[in-house]
Amino acid sequence: MRIGTVLDFGPPFDEIATQIVDYEAAGLDSVTMGEAYTFDAVSQLGYLAARTSRIELATGILPIDSRTPTTLAMTAAGLDYVSKGRFRLGIGASGPQVVEGFHGVPFGHALGKTRETIEICRTVWRREALRHQGRHFQIPLPADRGTGLGKPLKLINHPVRDRIPVSIAALGEQMVELTAEIAEGWEPIFFHPEKLESVWGAALARGKARRAAELGELNIIVRLPLAVTDDTAPWLDRARPQLALYIGGMGSRTRNFYNDLAKRYGFVAEAEAIQELFLAGKHRAAAAAVPDELVRATSLIGPASYVAERIAMLREIGVGLLNVSPMAPTHPERLSAIELLRSLTD
């Protein structure tokens, strides 16, 4: 099992890069850079490509509506080039708050646009002349919609790889089914392993039934707060606010994907209470309302023996990459946590 981390926004990036170099020496396998509505992930991963030599570099996620499919393909090929074949393209639909509120484009049709985007990317990476006439994207643009001068083009450069791994952040049944069919990796946020079969089992089975053999096994990529400790209470409390933010505030009262996910996990009343409190501005109370069971299930917080048991269980159900966020306050302590986790996963 591989271990990685997801970078936070805020600290000076040269400090972050130095810490990642230390993590790489300690055995870290992957680093993911998110992109919401802050600095773009691509520039920062390019910087990390120059500072590192072995670890995988990934986006987590690039919203599909923030770039054209061909721009995504060129970007992925460029990052794979500067990192010498170490890039993974993590994409997702994001949500209306980011897509409409920041990028100014309509949110919707995520299923079809995701499928077509990946088809276009893989055509570009194979350096084939791009001919795609889909429902959402037409390349070249038909003559009756443009000048009539467009013609199929192929990427000028030869990519390092003609198949760059793609992972999709997916929660809904149809998107999870699509992910299991066409992507190398699946990134479910707030992953509750005990609920894998009841919430996603049918969708995964349908997608895998159509999965091409050359894709190999679907790699499940999960994000988990990490604290190896015998005194779990304060660390569980530190993990609650992010869950409360997403369940309570990432979306409207009637359209919140993360609130829906908590309900699908069985926390119906709790999800409604968290949302009511959060939207009323009572953020601390919303965090306090997050159930212990949900926090424990979606984190790695506990003694080393407990963490080892959780890792074994995650490995058994197909998790191939643990993207952990060490919760310790200092870099040396976080580095020790990575080293310990490495020893538990070997």
Side-chain angles (χ1 to χ4, degrees):
M1 178 179 282
R2 298 190 304 147
I3 60 172
T5 194
V6 180
L7 299 184
D8 292 327
F9 305 120
F13 201 73
D14 58 342
E15 294 181 14
I16 293 176
T18 299
Q19 292 175 8
I20 293 300
V21 170
D22 291 342
Y23 286 161
E24 183 179 50
L28 195 77
D29 299 301
S30 179
V31 60
T32 294
M33 189 79 214
E35 184 180 277
Y37 40 97
T38 180
F39 297 141
D40 75 287
V42 176
S43 301
Q44 296 171 87
L45 287 174
Y47 183 88
L48 286 180
R51 294 287 304 272
T52 58
S53 60
R54 180 186 57 79
I55 59 172
E56 173 189 71
L57 305 173
T59 53
I61 61 169
L62 296 184
I64 57 172
D65 286 312
S66 64
R67 297 162 175 84
T68 67
T70 44
T71 301
L72 279 171
M74 294 164 64
T75 297
L79 282 171
D80 208 46
Y81 170 63
V82 298
S83 67
K84 299 180 180 179
R86 293 186 284 131
F87 179 66
R88 171 170 48 84
L89 176 63
I91 59 174
S94 188
Q97 287 178 308
V98 173
V99 172
E100 296 185 1
F102 191 71
H103 293 289
V105 297
F107 180 80
H109 305 289
L111 199 69
K113 287 190 288 188
T114 299
R115 182 184 289 276
E116 290 188 34
T117 293
I118 292 176
E119 290 174 356
I120 291 166
C121 283
R122 288 173 174 163
T123 300
V124 171
W125 298 333
R126 292 192 299 266
R127 291 194 75 244
E128 297 174 0
L130 189 52
R131 295 179 176 88
H132 181 92
Q133 297 299 312
R135 176 183 176 188
H136 304 285
F137 306 107
Q138 295 82 44
I139 307 170
L141 197 66
D144 61 353
R145 292 182 53 206
T147 63
L149 299 176
K151 62 180 182 179
L153 300 174
K154 64 181 179 181
L155 195 67
I156 294 173
N157 309 82
H158 289 262
V160 174
R161 295 180 289 177
D162 62 6
R163 190 60 169 271
I164 295 170
V166 177
S167 55
I168 301 175
L171 294 178
E173 283 197 19
Q174 288 184 308
M175 189 63 79
V176 170
E177 181 178 339
L178 179 70
T179 300
E181 178 189 350
I182 68 172
E184 282 84 0
W186 172 38
E187 299 188 59
I189 195 170
F190 305 131
F191 182 65
H192 191 318
E194 285 83 0
K195 303 292 185 179
L196 173 63
E197 185 58 33
S198 62
V199 174
W200 292 301
L204 289 169
R206 290 193 300 269
K208 289 179 180 180
R210 299 190 300 272
R211 187 176 181 83
E214 60 264 27
L215 285 174
E217 291 295 321
L218 179 67
N219 182 32
I220 303 177
I221 302 166
V222 299
R223 300 186 182 189
L224 302 160
L226 171 67
V228 182
T229 176
D230 292 327
D231 183 15
T232 61
W235 302 101
L236 293 171
D237 285 342
R238 287 189 61 182
R240 294 181 205 277
Q242 187 183 41
L243 283 161
L245 168 64
Y246 277 76
I247 295 170
M250 284 294 188
S252 69
R253 192 180 303 276
T254 58
R255 194 176 192 186
N256 181 320
F257 305 131
Y258 313 102
N259 191 277
D260 292 342
L261 178 63
K263 291 177 178 178
R264 291 166 71 195
Y265 283 162
F267 302 101
V268 177
E270 294 90 341
E272 291 175 354
I274 293 165
Q275 186 177 64
E276 288 295 329
L277 290 165
F278 198 94
L279 294 180
K282 301 176 181 178
H283 297 168
R284 289 186 180 180
V290 177
D292 278 2
E293 179 187 345
L294 182 58
V295 183
R296 292 184 187 278
T298 57
S299 65
L300 285 176
I301 299 174
S305 59
Y306 169 82
V307 171
E309 290 174 1
R310 298 294 290 178
I311 290 170
M313 183 266 291
L314 290 165
R315 179 188 285 117
E316 180 66 23
I317 63 175
V319 173
L321 175 61
L322 296 174
N323 266 337
V324 297
S325 298
M327 302 172 73
T330 69
H331 176 57
E333 289 174 297
R334 293 190 292 269
L335 185 60
S336 295
I338 291 293
E339 292 171 336
L340 177 56
L341 186 65
R342 177 77 282 166
S343 70
L344 295 175
T345 56
D346 286 341

